[in-house]
């Protein structure tokens, strides 16, 4: 009796729009012939177009995601992180679970759908200080951050700090930038009634775009309408200007302007996915070059799609983005369906078909129940476009439960006050902080936060004791450090540290630093000696202990 042919293993890496729709179509079209497995870092699919709504607390975080196992019930889903690909061995290296031991997953056909990364390195300080909006955790972090700014701005007595906290800057005016700025403005406006010490005029929201207009993929008249709507709602739209650098307290623009702000959201800087850039593949504009069938040239059985891939729409593409598939969900879904058909055709010994798709148009929400739409060549703006936007994304959202949840939340939101609960998410305990000349790192009376190492520039510490008239000064350069007395005790700062030039500090939070130093007697001893040598022993601190009515805490530089 003839043995049934062995099933071919198709591995899809990446569970976004491209990967999910490819895996679904592969399972359907290759049933009985293919063994399909999808690998994704999280166990859920993120509906990215709704992330600005999550950031603005219009919907819950969980409403913008769908569990992959519910979406893809008939195939193997593996929550694991892709670390590399061995094309010669036809295997993908992943780590999974808590043990994080690399394992190899063999494939017969491989579909790369890892999306893109964010690359802001060209702008000093932006990688460290800008928030991004690509993933659920980004959207959650942004929401928490904005509400945190309102909370502090409502109670601070420092006018400069208040101004920074109430200035919000979004960089990049493609549709994710426009939707993010609009949603953020709406959240702040609706929330203000709960913050009695903040006036509407105290809040400044900027949208910064390097091109000479916003929404470059929309017709000019719709972009103009969007600009006017945003301006009406208090967004200052700055076009023809980009960012050059950022610090924790300001963003610098190409025209020399410096905007003091605590919130920079970068929607620019799409770069290659960090794993994709290590694979030795032919990349152009940070994307994997494919042929018209979405095959990766020179590699047997490797396909790529979605934002990660550069898929030509014509036989002889020029250096013109219009000759390639665009990086949108709309395209990724169609590519997923076509790639599945091509893989099945290949295994059946048939010819694959070139990818061809014409955009059906674009939609962008402008907040406050307004949107712009350019669909099938019909241009719409205002409330009708907004209803279309909502209807379209609701229908596009995969899974009935997700549609229902989002629909109900939208309805409730139109009559309920905004949700301003701030659920803190963890910040990294070690981070780089950029400073401009003259910026204060800390000043007397502040609660100590951690340990600082200078990686660039120079910083001056000054301690003045008003009681004794004693004065201490020291300049720290690259490789030197300050704040190490967190090891000795908890305290308030007595010293002022100011950046003497533009510079960067590596900051380690107190608990993390103390734990680390204590685990290494060598380090612990080094710092104790250093404190003794530099400050003449902890007992000789200039701390105006009794002079500080705020706290019983001791004080430290
Ligand atoms: C804020 C925002 C709004 C948008 N709005 C719209 C819109 O209105 N309309 C539209 O058409 N498009 C929109 N887009 C663009 C659209 O979302 C993308 O084009 C689309 O998501 C691309 O799909 P993809 O599958 O290529 O990548 P992604 O959706 O980014 O999926 C990549 C997947 O790979 C996974 N992954 C990454 N690295 C690893 C790893 N090492 N191991 C395992 N898994 C990994 C990720 O977790 C993710 O699930 C928007 C994008 C953003 C960010």
């Amino acid at each position: 009796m003839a043995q049934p042919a062995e099933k071919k293993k198709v591995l899809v890496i990446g569970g976004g729009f491209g990967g999910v729709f490819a895996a679904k179509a592969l399972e359907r079209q290759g049933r009985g012939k293919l063994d399909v497995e999808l690998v994704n870092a999280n166990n859920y699919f993120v509906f990215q177009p709704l992330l600005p709504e999550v950031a603005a607390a219009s919907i819950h975080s969980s409403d913008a995601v769908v569990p992959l196992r519910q979406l893809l019930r008939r195939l193997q889903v593996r929550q694991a992180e892709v670390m590399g690909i061995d094309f010669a061995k036809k295997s993908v290296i992943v780590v999974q679970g808590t043990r994080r031991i690399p394992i190899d997953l063999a494939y017969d056909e491989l579909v790369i759908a890892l999306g893109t990364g964010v690359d802001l390195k060209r702008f000093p300080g932006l990688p460290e200080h800008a928030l991004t909006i690509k993933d659920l955790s980004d959207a959650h972090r942004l929401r928490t951050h904005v509400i945190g700014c309102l909370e502090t701005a409502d109670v601070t007595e420092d006018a400069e700090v208040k101004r920074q906290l109430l200035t919000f800057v979004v960089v990049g005016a493609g549709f994710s930038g426009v939707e993010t700025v609009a949603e953020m403005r709406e959240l702040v406006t609706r929330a203000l009634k709960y913050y009695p010490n903040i006036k509407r005029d105290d809040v400044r929201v900027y949208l910064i775009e390097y091109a000479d207009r916003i929404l470059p993929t929309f017709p000019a008249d719709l972009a103009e309408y969007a600009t006017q709507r945003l301006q009406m709602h208090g967004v200052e739209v700055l076009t023809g200007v980009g960012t050059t650098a950022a610090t924790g307290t300001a963003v610098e623009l190409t025209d020399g302007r410096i905007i003091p702000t605590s919130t920079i959201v970068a929607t620019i800087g799409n770069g290659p996915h960090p794993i994709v850039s290590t694979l030795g593949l032919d990349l152009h504009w940070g994307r994997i070059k494919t042929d018209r069938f979405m095959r990766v040239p020179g590699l047997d059985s490797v396909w790529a799609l979605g934002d990660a891939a550069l898929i030509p729409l014509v036989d002889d593409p020029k250096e013109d983005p219009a000759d390639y598939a665009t990086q949108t969900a709309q395209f990724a879904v169609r590519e997923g369906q076509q790639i599945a058909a091509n893989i099945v055709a290949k295994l059946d010994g048939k010819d694959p078909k070139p990818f061809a798709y014409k955009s059906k148009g674009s939609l962008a929400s402008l907040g406050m129940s307004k949107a712009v739409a350019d669909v099938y060549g019909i241009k719409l703006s205002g409330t009708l476009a907004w209803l279309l936007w909502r209807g379209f994304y609701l229908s596009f959202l995969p899974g009935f439960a997700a549609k229902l949840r989002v629909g109900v939340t939208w309805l409730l939101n139109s009559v309920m006050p905004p949700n301003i609960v701030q659920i803190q998410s963890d910040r990294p305990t070690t981070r780089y902080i950029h400073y401009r000349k003259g910026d204060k790192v800390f000043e007397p009376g502040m609660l100590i936060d951690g340990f600082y190492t200078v990686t660039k520039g120079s910083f001056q510490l000054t301690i003045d004791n008003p009681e004794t008239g004693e004065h201490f000064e020291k300049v720290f350069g690259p490789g030197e450090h300050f704040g190490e007395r967190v090891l000795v005790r908890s305290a308030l700062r007595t010293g002022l540290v100011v950046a003497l030039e533009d510079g960067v500090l590596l900051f380690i939070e107190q608990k993390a630093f103390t734990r680390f130093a204590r685990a290494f007697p060598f380090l612990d001893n080094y710092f104790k000696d250093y404190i003794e040598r530099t400050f003449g022993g902890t007992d000789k601190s200039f701390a105006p202990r009794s002079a500080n009515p705020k706290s019983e805490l001791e004080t430290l530089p």
Side-chain angles (χ1 to χ4, degrees), residues 13 82-85 87 112 114-119 121 270-289 304 307-309:
I13 53 172
V82 173
M83 306 301 286
I85 304 173
F87 294 114
I112 303 176
L114 291 172
T116 53
V118 177
D119 182 6
K121 284 198 298 288
N270 254 6
H273 184 283
I275 296 293
V276 165
S277 57
T278 63
L279 297 175
L281 297 174
D282 195 3
L283 302 185
H284 190 55
W285 299 331
R287 297 154 72 184
I288 304 168
K289 275 172 128 178
D307 285 4

Side-chain angles (χ1 to χ4, degrees), residues 20-40:
V20 161
F21 281 83
K24 252 185 156 180
L26 278 161
E27 190 282 322
R28 210 175 38 248
Q29 297 176 30
R31 199 165 293 165
K33 293 185 278 190
L34 301 181
D35 172 11
V36 184
E37 176 167 340
L38 180 130
V39 180
N40 196 51

Side-chain angles (χ1 to χ4, degrees), residues 13-19 39-42 44 46 48-52 80-83 113-116 133-135 175-176 179-180 273 275 305-308 327-332 363 389 393 396:
I13 53 172
F17 279 98
V39 180
N40 196 51
N42 301 308
Y44 51 79
V46 180
Q48 286 183 351
L50 287 182
L51 290 181
E81 203 177 326
V82 173
M83 306 301 286
L114 291 172
T116 53
I133 179 129
K134 273 197 85 74
D135 206 345
F175 55 133
S176 59
E179 290 184 348
T180 302
H273 184 283
I275 296 293
L305 82 166
D307 285 4
Q327 287 172 297
T328 58
Q330 198 184 140
F331 269 79
L363 295 149
W389 183 93
Y393 282 113
F396 200 23

Side-chain angles (χ1 to χ4, degrees), residues 183-458:
E183 290 290 339
M184 204 159 77
R185 177 74 240 195
E186 186 170 343
L187 167 67
V188 172
T189 304
R190 291 183 69 207
L192 280 191
K193 63 177 171 211
Y194 303 104
Y195 297 92
N197 300 317
I198 306 176
K199 292 189 229 44
R200 199 184 145 99
D201 287 352
D202 294 339
V203 179
R204 305 197 75 173
V205 181
Y206 291 92
L207 178 63
I208 314 271
E209 169 56 52
Y210 198 64
D212 55 9
R213 72 168 172 98
I214 68 168
L215 293 173
T217 55
F218 280 76
D221 50 346
L222 287 184
E224 183 51 35
Y225 170 86
T227 305
Q228 284 171 13
R229 280 306 311 180
L230 291 172
Q231 285 168 338
M232 259 176 71
H233 287 294
V235 176
E236 294 178 48
V237 181
L238 308 182
T239 52
V241 65
T243 46
T244 50
T247 65
T249 55
V251 62
E252 193 181 298
L253 306 186
T254 45
D255 61 6
R257 234 179 305 184
I258 289 169
I259 303 177
T261 177
S262 303
T263 310
I264 308 163
V265 186
T267 64
I268 54 168
N270 254 6
H273 184 283
I275 296 293
V276 165
S277 57
T278 63
L279 297 175
L281 297 174
D282 195 3
L283 302 185
H284 190 55
W285 299 331
R287 297 154 72 184
I288 304 168
K289 275 172 128 178
T290 73
D291 62 15
R292 290 207 58 197
F293 308 97
M294 292 176 278
R295 297 176 299 208
V296 180
L299 285 170
D300 185 27
S301 312
V302 181
W303 311 71
L305 82 166
D307 285 4
L310 187 65
I311 304 163
L313 296 171
V314 292
D315 285 335
D316 185 19
K318 308 275 177 316
E319 280 291 291
D320 178 358
D323 284 354
Y324 296 92
T326 60
Q327 287 172 297
T328 58
Q330 198 184 140
F331 269 79
V333 166
R334 274 31 172 240
E335 288 157 18
Q337 288 157 351
Q338 181 69 51
I339 225 169
N342 284 355
I343 291 173
V344 172
K346 175 190 166 188
L347 298 175
D348 286 346
K350 297 185 185 146
D351 288 336
K353 285 202 180 117
F355 177 71
Y357 177 70
K358 206 165 171 305
S359 168
K360 302 285 177 276
S362 310
L363 295 149
S365 162
L366 305 173
M368 303 288 182
S369 312
K370 298 283 182 286
V372 281
D374 172 29
V375 185
Y376 294 109
I378 300 168
K379 294 192 259 180
L380 289 171
S381 57
T383 311
L384 192 61
W386 179 74
L387 288 172
L388 186 71
W389 183 93
R390 286 212 152 171
F392 177 74
Y393 282 113
L394 210 53
S395 67
F396 200 23
L397 195 61
F400 177 72
K403 287 188 212 305
L404 190 66
R405 270 202 312 269
V406 171
V408 170
T409 310
W410 274 344
L411 274 179
L412 286 177
N413 252 345
S414 52
V415 289
M416 305 273 271
N419 180 351
I420 52 168
V421 172
Q422 188 201 26
I423 298 168
Q424 300 274 6
S425 49
D426 289 343
R427 280 186 92 190
T429 53
T430 303
R431 51 188 182 268
Y432 289 102
I433 310 180
H434 289 240
Y435 293 89
R436 267 183 312 122
K437 182 179 175 185
D439 279 351
K440 286 180 200 160
V441 178
F442 54 71
E443 58 190 308
M446 284 172 73
L447 197 63
I448 57 146
D449 46 0
F451 168 78
Y452 295 82
T453 304
V454 182
T455 59
K456 196 178 151 214
S458 55

Side-chain angles (χ1 to χ4, degrees), residues 458-463 471-477 480-482 484 496-498 500 530 533-535:
S458 55
F459 293 81
Q460 177 164 315
L461 164 69
T462 314
I463 312 172
H471 177 82
F472 176 87
E473 241 180 56
K474 184 169 161 62
V475 173
F476 299 89
E480 294 182 304
H481 51 77
F482 53 88
E484 54 287 314
L496 166 73
V497 175
V498 175
L500 294 178
Y530 177 85
R533 267 186 288 117
T534 313
F535 299 103

